[in-house]
Amino acid sequence: DETKARDSPEALENKEPKQAGRKLTILYGSNTGTCQALAQRLTSDARQHGYEATVADLDSAVDRLPKDQPVVILTASYEGEPTDNAAYFFAWLQSVTGDKKFDGVDFAVFGCGHSDWTATYQRIPTLIESLLESHGGTKYADRGCANAAQGDIFSDFDAWADHTFWPSLLSTFGSIVSNGDAAPPEPKVEMEIS
Ligand code: FMN
């Protein structure tokens, strides 16, 4: 019976190598660790959505924003300026000219801020989004924002991730988990009629 199952066409189909997870790049700008922690959180969620995530700070992406996989940027602002590990990245974005540089860059942005900084609330995430867009980048999910002055940054982030980020990412780029693995059949329930 086992041999039969192994040699059946269905069994051979199941021997096809599983595709590796799709790729996702997570970039953060963080001074005191909040956005870095959110990046770690997203990384562990990625796997269960069929994505293999790479995490790095924004400065490591200067002149190398990937164009072959979606990018998600999580960042704070300080007195309206970028974090220490996003300063080169932000200066580089501002130096870009023309409307083609980020053709092929698919991105989404989440900002952490504090509304006590009234004039510069969410300045850096907002500017990163508009600079990427104005130079040809494509936004695949609406920007999220958390305000440290009210509520909890982590639950605001989770709400954005669950209701905006993942649904947009999965509908734009697909998911191995949902496309590749058929749901297991319903167990048969046999009822005894007496
Ligand atoms: N948030 C803003 O939205 N705009 C600001 O201009 C701003 N300036 C800040 C300046 C200081 C000195 C501090 C302590 C916070 C400021 N914030 C501002 C709030 C931080 O961006 C927010 O707390 C964020 O969650 C910090 O993220 P991080 O831990 O990843 O660095």
Side-chain angles (χ1 to χ4, degrees), residues 89-173:
F89 180 83
F90 190 67
W92 169 64
L93 277 196
Q94 288 184 307
S95 74
V96 165
T97 53
D99 57 5
K100 295 265 186 286
K101 175 80 175 175
F102 301 130
D103 264 7
V105 174
D106 293 299
F107 73 95
V109 177
F110 185 89
C112 286
H114 194 301
S115 53
D116 276 3
W117 280 269
T118 324
T120 54
Y121 177 59
Q122 299 283 343
R123 180 171 184 264
I124 297 303
T126 311
L127 278 174
I128 287 179
E129 182 180 66
S130 63
L131 285 165
L132 287 173
E133 257 188 330
S134 60
H135 299 293
T138 304
K139 186 176 70 173
Y140 61 82
D142 287 339
R143 180 163 48 87
C145 60
N147 183 356
Q150 44 181 242
D152 170 52
I153 284 192
F154 286 85
S155 34
D156 289 349
F157 179 75
D158 286 346
W160 177 77
D162 292 347
H163 302 300
T164 302
F165 174 74
W166 286 116
S168 304
L169 182 92
L170 298 176
S171 70
T172 311
F173 302 98

Side-chain angles (χ1 to χ4, degrees), residues 29-35 76-80 112-114 117 120-122 148 153:
S30 186
N31 276 0
T32 58
T34 315
C35 290
S77 317
Y78 283 84
E79 311 279 0
C112 286
H114 194 301
W117 280 269
T120 54
Y121 177 59
Q122 299 283 343
I153 284 192

